[in-house]
DNA sequence: TTGAAAGCGCTAACAG
DNA sequence: CTGTTAGCGCTTTCAA
């Protein structure tokens, strides 16, 4: 079963390979009769265009990469929807990969993307990665950092104002009467984590008498939230926070489930607010208040920014290609 | 900024391009001195190997594709972990895509994969897709159906015995004293859904006096579980099922959260069991019993099977390449 | 409207 | 151990 290429199609339809290629790329320039014969031959032979040859000749692919630390995290999954939708609209395919927060995997994927000749990359990472992106950018493959504002003005990024998010969350807790606030999040080396805490602090400072406790965690998963809840339950009720701001919804849900199961009333005894406003927030036992970043819009904006910074793009990128979106508060029963 | 290829590296290090290529592909065959010079030149120039040229010459890539209906579904995300891990071990990269249950997207991704020259594909789909895979297979790109047993013995697949899963779930409910069983799932056109119901029926038939009600749903998401729970709450308590088998964990969690919040005791009044044993099952309000398919092992097995059916593989595929795994029962507090 | 031909970057066979 | 060279399949001038 010989592989069928344009050569075979040309032979089978009695035209030259140049004409077949024209048919593929500029169908209008081929006479109706030959077009019909070519199409018929393609169907009959099962022609599949070889992308390697095409890409080699063209010098670029029509693929972009999107790398996330954890595909299972609904936050990234939701953004992926927007990314894919927008990319499809402009004729690009998305190569999604999962770094599993592993630096080695990140690096090897970055190298792979560059070798593959992707047109650009969307990178979400929980660690500093700009220094890897810079040389790749210089060599001609642009990238957009997703989820964190770039420190270099050369590096495009799309992020949420996490300081504002933290501020909104905690001010809301305080305004609904909470005085002993706890922030459940970590590690603080992750800038989103630190920014949300900064925002929380800003809010607390505005209200004398309100205290802010920091409870450090390792990972942003449900199990960590549960663990913290168990710890809180060993305290005297009066020593417990009355308002908890969790670094994301998963952690908040872990907290909420354990506390509620042990008879702590949510929100009367402890109010809880999460972050990301994932599907799980709206559907948890006690519907969870959360800080909502723009979701689909976020992924689309990332693609649009990438398009703008691609070499040869007709749209010009903004002078400072670091887009920051404002999150908003979604208030539900948990506060 | 001229793109640097092996030609430039060769010039800069004073060797021929053949030697540079040898260094890339068989480093041992190059003298230490030249190897050093070549590596130095590559680093200095920022050489990136062009995959299109390589792939064109080689005739194949080192990429496999994994297409899922919904990246956000933790079941597929977990399998993806195993897929990626195993693929990395054998030097393959994984191109993950999200069909969003859209037939058009499925078809266009399938075509894209073939044009890209992937070595093989792993396909999870909630609709019949074998007829699309067959011609692609005949043209030389093998595939493994993931999550559902293929109907053709020509089509490799990796699946879970869902009839057994349904049986185990419902027998467990009955053995713990339940008599009015409800199966919450749908549409029955989806074979996994139908198989689980078949298993449930098998169990019910073994115990005279036990009834099985079917509650149809559209999608396997938390919100649907909540909706069903609201419906159940409108019934007289005596008309409610005392054991519920949900088609997956997300639906089960939606049910559980609403019922518990309205004072229904789990499992005393209603026992609930889910399917997939995702992270969310173990961490829900009342830890959820679930039917657990092999997770990471499942993804790995899919890759291994794909490797075995790849042309030129040294491992021979099993005579019937339709692997079926037995799920197991994970009993937690919800039953 | 069609065809001929050059060559994208790389690998491997072969010769030295 | 190293260099020379022939294409892999495709697109795109350029000429007819």
């Amino acid at each position: 079963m010989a592989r069928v290429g344009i050569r075979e199609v040309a032979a089978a339809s009695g035209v030259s390979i140049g004409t077949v290629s024209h048919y593929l790329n500029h169908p209008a320039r081929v006479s109706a009769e030959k077009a019909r014969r070519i199409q018929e031959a393609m169907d009959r032979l099962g022609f599949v265009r070889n992308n390697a040859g095409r890409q080699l000749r063209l010098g670029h692919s029509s693929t972009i990469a999107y790398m996330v630390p954890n595909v299972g995290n609904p936050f990234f999954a939701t953004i992926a929807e927007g990314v894919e939708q927008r990319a499809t609209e402009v004729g690009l395919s998305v190569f999604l990969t999962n770094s599993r927060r592993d630096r080695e995997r990140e690096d090897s994927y970055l190298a792979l993307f560059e070798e593959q000749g992707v047109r650009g990359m969307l990178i979400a990472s929980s660690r500093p990665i700009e220094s890897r992106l810079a040389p790749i950018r210089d060599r001609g493959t642009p990238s957009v950092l997703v989820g964190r504002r770039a420190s270099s003005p050369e590096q495009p990024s799309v992020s949420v104002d996490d300081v504002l998010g933290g501020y909104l969350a905690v001010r809301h807790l305080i305004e609904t009467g909470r005085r002993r606030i706890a922030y459940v999040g970590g590690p603080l080396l992750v800038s989103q984590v630190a920014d949300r805490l900064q925002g929380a602090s800003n809010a607390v400072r505005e209200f004398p008498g309100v205290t802010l406790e920091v409870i450090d965690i390792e990972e942003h998963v449900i199990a960590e939230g549960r663990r913290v809840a168990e710890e809180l339950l060993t305290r005297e009720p009066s020593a417990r926070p009355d308002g908890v701001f969790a670094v994301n919804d998963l952690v908040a849900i872990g907290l909420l489930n354990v506390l509620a199961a042990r008879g702590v009333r949510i929100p009367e005894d402890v109010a809880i607010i999460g972050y990301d406003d994932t599907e799980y927030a709206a559907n948890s036992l006690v519907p969870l208040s959360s800080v909502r970043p723009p979701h689909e819009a976020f992924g689309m904006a990332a693609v649009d920014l990438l398009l703008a910074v691609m070499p040869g793009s007709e749209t010009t990128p903004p002078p400072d290609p670091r887009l920051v979106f404002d999150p908003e508060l979604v208030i539900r029963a948990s506060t």
Side-chain angles (χ1 to χ4, degrees), chain A:
Chain A
M1 190 223 49
R3 191 144 177 69
V4 8
I6 59 173
R7 209 189 323 271
E8 284 69 33
V9 173
S13 51
V15 302
S16 75
I17 58 172
T19 304
V20 176
S21 179
H22 277 142
Y23 173 67
L24 247 18
N25 299 289
H26 314 280
R29 291 191 202 158
V30 175
S31 72
E33 162 59 8
K34 302 214 161 164
R36 200 191 48 69
R37 293 221 310 268
I38 293 171
Q39 184 59 56
E40 184 276 330
M42 285 183 169
D43 292 343
R44 186 161 47 80
L45 269 30
F47 168 75
V48 174
R49 186 197 229 163
N50 178 322
N51 181 67
R54 176 186 171 80
Q55 183 173 335
L56 179 58
R57 179 64 231 225
L58 256 32
H60 64 251
S61 68
S62 55
T63 304
I64 63 173
Y66 176 35
M67 180 168 83
V68 303
N70 173 9
V71 267
N73 187 321
F75 178 61
F76 294 114
T78 317
I79 293 178
E81 303 271 301
V83 167
E84 270 206 305
Q85 184 180 325
R86 194 80 188 87
T88 305
E89 284 168 17
V90 298
L92 260 18
S93 313
V94 181
F95 192 156
L96 176 62
T97 56
N98 194 9
S99 69
R100 298 153 81 190
R101 309 161 169 276
D102 180 306
R103 155 148 266 151
E104 251 181 63
R105 293 179 71 82
E106 280 185 354
D107 287 348
S108 77
Y109 270 127
L110 255 25
L112 178 71
F113 295 156
E114 205 180 356
E115 290 183 3
Q116 298 274 18
V118 300
R119 289 286 281 284
M121 13 191 160
L122 268 21
I123 306 294
S125 172
S126 51
R127 68 186 79 238
I129 198 169
E130 285 187 55
S131 62
R132 315 277 171 148
L133 263 20
I136 295 175
R137 194 155 18 89
D138 291 342
R139 273 181 235 119
T141 306
S143 53
V144 170
L145 203 56
V146 173
R148 199 170 64 223
R149 183 164 184 276
S151 41
S152 155
E154 309 294 309
Q155 173 64 57
S157 66
V158 173
S159 59
V160 173
D161 186 339
D162 282 313
V163 176
L164 175 60
Y167 174 81
L168 291 174
V170 171
R171 194 184 63 182
H172 168 64
L173 288 175
I174 297 172
E175 284 176 352
T176 53
R178 309 299 151 178
R179 288 298 171 264
R180 298 187 307 284
I181 309 295
Y183 174 62
V184 179
L188 290 170
L189 293 174
V190 177
S191 65
Q192 290 93 327
V193 175
D195 286 353
R196 289 167 202 183
L197 175 57
Q198 180 63 59
S201 296
N202 293 351
V204 166
R205 256 205 324 275
E206 289 181 3
F207 297 87
V210 175
T211 60
L212 176 63
E213 174 186 8
V214 175
I215 301 178
D216 193 44
I217 60 176
E218 287 293 318
E219 275 199 288
H220 302 175
V221 295
I222 298 179
E224 285 279 82
R226 296 179 67 90
R227 198 180 54 70
V228 170
E230 298 288 356
E231 192 272 321
L232 291 179
L233 286 166
T234 64
R235 303 187 187 179
E236 287 297 307
S238 64
R240 294 178 196 157
D242 57 4
V244 175
F245 170 36
V247 72
N248 79 355
D249 288 346
L250 297 181
V251 173
I253 286 169
L255 278 159
L256 190 152
N257 280 345
V258 168
L259 293 178
R262 302 291 201 79
V264 175
R265 290 169 306 159
I266 313 286
E268 292 79 2
D269 299 331
V270 180
I272 302 180
I273 185 166
Y275 209 103
D276 291 345
D277 193 33
T278 57
E279 175 192 4
Y280 301 99
N283 291 301
S284 63
L285 172 70
V286 177
L288 185 70
S289 296
S290 192
V291 176
R292 179 186 176 82
H295 280 165
E296 287 78 4
F298 200 70
M300 293 191 183
V303 174
D304 286 334
L305 182 55
L306 188 60
L307 291 170
V309 297
M310 274 180 189
S313 147
E314 63 269 8
T315 55
T316 43
D320 186 336
R322 294 176 293 183
L323 271 37
V324 178
F325 288 82
D326 285 350
E328 51 186 60
L329 210 50
V330 178
I331 298 172
R332 299 200 180 87
S334 73
T335 54

